[in-house]
Amino acid sequence: MSILQNVSIKELNTFGLNIQSSYFTSIHDVSEIHSVLHSKECIGKKYMILGGGSNVLFIHDFEGLILRNELRGIHIVNEDENYVWVKVASGEVWHELVLWSIDRNLGGIENLSLIPGSVGAGPMQNIGAYGVELKDVFYELEAMNLKTFEMETFSKLDCKFGYRESVFKHEFKDQYFISSVTFQLNKNPRINISYGAISQELRKMVVGNPTVKDVSDAVIHIRKSKLPDPKILGNSGSFFKNPEIETEQFNSLKENFPAIVGYPLPNNKMKLAAGWLIEQCGWKGKRIGETGSHKDQALVLVNYGNATGNEIYALALQIKQSVFEKFGVVIEPEVNIIGIIS
Ligand SMILES: Cc1cc2nc3c(=O)[nH]c(=O)nc-3n(C[C@H](O)[C@H](O)[C@H](O)COP(=O)(O)OP(=O)(O)OC[C@H]3O[C@@H](n4cnc5c(N)ncnc54)[C@H](O)[C@@H]3O)c2cc1C
């Protein structure tokens, strides 16, 4: 375990921002965390955990210690006639886990194919796509409490999963290092192709009775055709969450904007498509200097090559403001903004 100084993390964040971190170390075993945080260089310093860097926007250089998660290992820890429980070290690449499960015809995460990043960041925002969320297959996770350095186990209930939410984004923000996640995968996969685009894609692939591999292939194909590849154009996927509003507010918006689409939620609420709201404000495809909203996906903010984190953040604030002025709806970032006081 070595602690490096003044390290560029340009290759370690999907926005491709040339951020310098004053200190940087890779964690290969949770037992290293205590000594790193107590080392003479880093004691008392600010720190953060970095997985794949696909859901972070650094506003400026990071004056502190970055702990890059390199924990590895996928192990079956239990099984019965219907399920397999798989314990996965948090530094594993999420999509590699999806491929691992598909190789064994285990069902549950095929719809989450090709989501970038690490397994350990998955529970942070309860990653989701194409009608499935991580919580649907989550069993438990282990995390190190960064105050006591004790290991703790969190059940699904403890994690308080919601739409792109968990306890780790709120009351336990920056307080735990998630070290492993255990998933309950299905030996008799129940295919979920209720999300329109998947069944359409499967029809194009001429697949009648889809396997988990077929669903994964369809999802991969859709994602590749819809989303910019961060290796080519820096981005962090959807920048904002889809906002939830009261049905009453939705009905009055519908009078002024008949094309507005809302998805009913429990508790008399409606979910709106943030991308649509942003597009209606004229942002889709708009470029400001080195940043902008993507030409096909208004919700995706991009770095054309030399943007700074501050420029992207300033654009996000302008977009947020214009959506509020036009619709009276507040949109919140899905991306973790590093460097502002929240
Ligand atoms: C092209 C693209 C498409 C995307 N599509 C989707 C999508 O369909 N659905 C979706 O939900 N997300 C999507 N995302 C967002 C992103 O991939 C996920 O949020 C992913 O889980 C982030 O993983 P990461 O390892 O890169 O996290 P990072 O960006 O490294 O970290 C994100 C946050 O989690 C914290 N964190 C990371 N690891 C740990 C840990 N082990 N313990 C405690 N805290 C930790 C970090 O400190 C940070 O606050 C997309 C991103 C991109 C670039």
Side-chain angles (χ1 to χ4, degrees):
M1 172 202 77
S2 60
I3 299 173
L4 307 173
Q5 289 194 28
N6 301 322
V7 172
S8 166
I9 57 154
K10 189 173 182 350
E11 304 300 325
L12 301 179
N13 72 103
T14 58
F15 265 122
L17 298 171
N18 190 15
I19 296 296
Q20 302 289 315
S21 178
S22 0
Y23 297 96
F24 181 96
T25 193
S26 299
I27 299 295
H28 296 91
D29 191 304
V30 268
S31 64
E32 297 167 355
I33 297 173
H34 181 272
S35 39
V36 170
L37 296 186
H38 286 90
S39 64
K40 65 176 184 336
E41 302 99 305
C42 297
I43 191 158
K45 292 241 162 44
K46 189 169 70 169
Y47 58 84
M48 74 161 286
I49 302 156
L50 188 65
S54 63
N55 206 18
V56 281
L57 172 66
F58 288 87
I59 306 270
H60 41 66
D61 287 344
F62 189 74
E63 286 173 18
L65 167 69
I66 288 185
L67 303 159
R68 162 86 162 162
N69 184 0
E70 298 281 3
L71 306 184
R72 292 286 186 267
I74 303 181
H75 301 286
I76 294 177
V77 288
N78 197 4
E79 67 183 289
D80 64 17
E81 71 267 35
N82 295 316
Y83 295 102
V84 171
W85 285 263
V86 188
K87 184 172 178 175
V88 188
S90 58
E92 287 286 346
V93 172
W94 173 262
H95 185 60
E96 296 293 322
L97 172 66
V98 175
L99 296 179
W100 180 97
S101 71
I102 286 165
D103 273 352
R104 289 157 183 81
N105 197 35
L106 295 170
I109 54 177
E110 58 281 1
N111 293 42
L112 305 179
S113 294
L114 217 60
I115 295 182
S118 60
V119 166
M124 280 287 295
Q125 71 155 10
N126 180 28
I127 50 170
Y130 302 99
V132 172
E133 289 182 328
L134 174 134
K135 73 168 171 40
D136 302 332
V137 287
F138 178 91
Y139 181 67
E140 64 180 24
L141 66 76
E142 284 177 359
M144 177 176 271
N145 180 324
L146 296 171
K147 282 192 190 124
T148 63
F149 297 95
E150 301 285 334
M151 294 303 295
E152 295 179 22
T153 302
F154 289 76
S155 67
K156 194 186 283 194
L157 218 58
D158 297 331
C159 292
K160 298 188 185 163
F161 290 126
Y163 162 64
R164 302 293 184 272
E165 295 291 357
S166 77
V167 76
F168 301 103
K169 265 186 121 168
H170 296 286
E171 57 256 54
F172 292 157
K173 189 168 159 53
D174 298 328
Q175 291 181 41
Y176 284 88
F177 186 114
I178 297 170
S179 59
S180 70
V181 187
T182 303
F183 299 94
Q184 183 177 342
L185 300 178
N186 203 328
K187 284 183 171 176
N188 310 295
R190 276 186 234 119
I191 300 300
N192 174 357
I193 51 169
S194 53
Y195 187 92
I198 303 187
S199 36
Q200 221 176 311
E201 189 61 36
L202 288 167
R203 272 197 298 277
K204 273 197 236 155
M205 290 160 57
V206 203
V207 172
N209 208 354
T211 61
V212 286
K213 167 117 179 41
D214 296 326
V215 174
S216 171
D217 287 346
V219 168
I220 289 173
H221 192 262
I222 300 167
R223 291 185 72 100
K224 281 189 172 163
S225 66
K226 270 181 56 178
L227 288 169
D229 179 351
K231 289 195 189 94
I232 297 166
L233 190 60
N235 75 87
S236 68
S238 304
F239 194 92
F240 295 98
K241 294 194 290 185
N242 291 322
E244 296 175 5
I245 62 170
E246 301 293 327
T247 304
E248 202 181 327
Q249 186 185 2
F250 176 77
N251 290 339
S252 63
L253 279 172
K254 186 96 184 151
E255 284 174 21
N256 293 327
F257 306 98
I260 196 167
V261 181
Y263 305 92
L265 297 171
N267 305 331
N268 215 19
K269 294 207 160 169
M270 299 288 280
K271 188 183 278 185
L272 305 181
W276 186 87
L277 299 172
I278 295 168
E279 195 177 334
Q280 297 307 304
C281 294
W283 288 105
K284 190 172 173 182
K286 196 163 179 172
R287 176 170 178 165
I288 299 183
E290 286 293 303
T291 181
S293 156
H294 189 257
K295 65 177 176 38
D296 300 325
Q297 296 291 334
L299 197 48
V300 176
L301 304 191
V302 298
N303 172 11
Y304 285 103
N306 294 308
T308 63
N310 220 353
E311 280 164 345
I312 298 173
Y313 186 56
L315 172 68
L317 291 180
Q318 276 191 67
I319 292 176
K320 179 174 170 156
Q321 182 63 23
S322 66
V323 167
F324 183 70
E325 280 165 13
K326 190 170 175 104
F327 297 102
V329 172
V330 177
I331 51 172
E332 296 293 353
E334 177 183 316
V335 173
N336 298 276
I337 315 287
I338 313 292
I340 45 162
I341 320 273
S342 52

